[in-house]
Amino acid sequence: MNQMDQAVNEIEGYLLWEAEKARARSRADAFCAGLPWLTDTQRQEVESRYCEDQRDLSRAYLERIAVRSAGLRTEYESVYLALRRRLVTAFLSGTLAVAVLVAVAAAGLTAR
């Protein structure tokens, strides 16, 4: 991965995380809207704890996804390499078979 790809990935990650934080704040606000008896201080505390809990859940979820993605990448790369080896082997075998048939046919024509 080159520096440009890495920079784009970092920016994308930052933007995704900021969106996740905004989503947590929005959900916390909606949650607290259903609790109209809270004082302003209580509301701020509930929103803060809710946001923190949502961010922790999101972080754990994203870490599980990253681990699973890395595992799938490794698995798919090994399958791809095996398929590529089989394709190259089949191609070389076919080329060899054609070369043998052409040689046999050429030898048959020169023998006449």
Side-chain angles (χ1 to χ4, degrees), residues 82-95:
L83 288 172
R84 192 168 108 184
R85 265 184 271 167
R86 285 198 297 192
L87 179 63
V88 168
T89 301
F91 176 76
L92 291 176
S93 297
T95 302

Side-chain angles (χ1 to χ4, degrees), residues 59-81:
R59 183 178 304 279
Y61 181 67
L62 292 172
E63 287 171 354
R64 283 194 308 272
I65 289 173
V67 168
R68 180 66 178 141
S69 294
L72 285 174
R73 171 177 276 158
T74 300
E75 182 181 335
Y76 290 158
E77 284 175 350
S78 67
V79 169
Y80 169 77
L81 289 174

